[in-house]
Amino acid sequence: MLSNAEHVIWDRFKEGDRRAFAQIYNTHFSSLYNYGFRFCGNASQAKDAVHQLFVKLWDHKEKLSTPVSVRHYLIKSLRNILLDHFKTDDRHRALDAGDTNFSEPASEFLLIQEDISAEQHQHLRKAINTLTKRQREAIYLKFFENLSYDEVSSAMSLTVNSVYNLISKAIEVLRKNTPYVNLMLLIALMS
């Protein structure tokens, strides 16, 4: 649910306030770009898609309703734009099979790696790479973008139960494949 401040900013944006629009852009650009890059694996395409999203928002601002979560709304919208790009490029077959590019760890992971021995880091990286791309996407949205299970399910066009299962199985795989990594450390990486 939107905080009162977010609600005011969103309403001002819908009324054509450029400063409110810039505030929404500045608040969410980095997170959207990171998600877009992980999704498509192309920095230029990710940046273009984020810009396209904000152009569409501005062009249709009068018609927009107030979302429950601006962040969730923007991520879902960006995902739809990227899916449209893949369909246009006739690369949707790979996406439909769940082949998105969520292979690199998030920046939070890179910061924590200094505290993990090289061996532990290697085991954790191998474990993350054993996850399916859909599992990595769900883990990224849930733990690094801090979306709720409902928001992840909506963003990925899955049922909530499917998201629970996807994340649960991913964590199970990580636990199984990281015998030398402390479980508490693993949890810290994902929170």
Side-chain angles (χ1 to χ4, degrees), residues 83-142:
L83 286 170
D84 287 345
H85 283 214
F86 277 104
K87 288 176 183 173
T88 301
D89 293 344
D90 199 28
R91 289 185 266 165
H92 68 284
R93 283 180 230 113
L95 261 180
D96 289 343
D99 192 19
T100 54
N101 193 23
F102 283 87
S103 60
E104 290 298 314
S107 59
E108 295 91 341
F109 180 83
L110 296 174
L111 292 174
I112 294 173
Q113 81 180 15
E114 294 173 358
D115 296 336
I116 303 173
S117 73
E119 184 179 355
Q120 289 175 329
H121 177 68
Q122 184 178 18
H123 285 291
L124 187 55
R125 180 179 281 275
K126 285 181 182 177
I128 289 171
N129 287 334
T130 63
L131 298 176
T132 67
K133 293 184 187 273
R134 296 286 276 184
Q135 287 172 329
R136 281 180 270 189
E137 181 180 8
I139 291 282
Y140 178 80
L141 290 172
K142 175 66 181 140

Side-chain angles (χ1 to χ4, degrees), residues 136-159:
R136 281 180 270 189
E137 181 180 8
I139 291 282
Y140 178 80
L141 290 172
K142 175 66 181 140
F143 297 107
F144 295 104
E145 290 298 328
N146 295 316
L147 297 183
S148 70
Y149 283 98
D150 287 335
E151 292 169 331
V152 174
S153 76
S154 178
M156 293 182 69
S157 300
L158 298 171
T159 66

Side-chain angles (χ1 to χ4, degrees), residues 10-18 21 55-65:
W10 187 260
D11 285 345
R12 285 184 20 227
F13 149 66
K14 286 175 33 181
E15 293 168 359
D17 185 328
R18 291 183 185 273
F21 178 70
V55 167
K56 282 184 175 184
L57 283 175
W58 184 258
D59 289 346
H60 301 288
K61 62 188 170 292
E62 297 87 12
K63 300 174 192 169
L64 296 174
S65 60

Side-chain angles (χ1 to χ4, degrees), residues 44-56:
S44 176
Q45 187 176 12
K47 190 174 184 180
D48 288 347
V50 173
H51 287 151
Q52 182 181 353
L53 168 63
F54 280 98
V55 167
K56 282 184 175 184

Side-chain angles (χ1 to χ4, degrees), residues 10 24 27-36 39 49-50 53-54 57 67 69-83 102 137-138 140-148 150-157:
W10 187 260
I24 293 168
T27 300
H28 297 283
F29 177 83
S30 179
S31 172
L32 291 169
Y33 171 78
N34 287 336
Y35 176 75
F39 194 91
V50 173
L53 168 63
F54 280 98
L57 283 175
S69 164
V70 171
R71 184 181 196 169
H72 170 249
Y73 176 79
L74 294 174
I75 286 174
K76 181 162 178 74
S77 298
L78 179 62
R79 187 175 198 272
N80 288 337
I81 288 170
L82 290 167
L83 286 170
F102 283 87
E137 181 180 8
Y140 178 80
L141 290 172
K142 175 66 181 140
F143 297 107
F144 295 104
E145 290 298 328
N146 295 316
L147 297 183
S148 70
D150 287 335
E151 292 169 331
V152 174
S153 76
S154 178
M156 293 182 69
S157 300

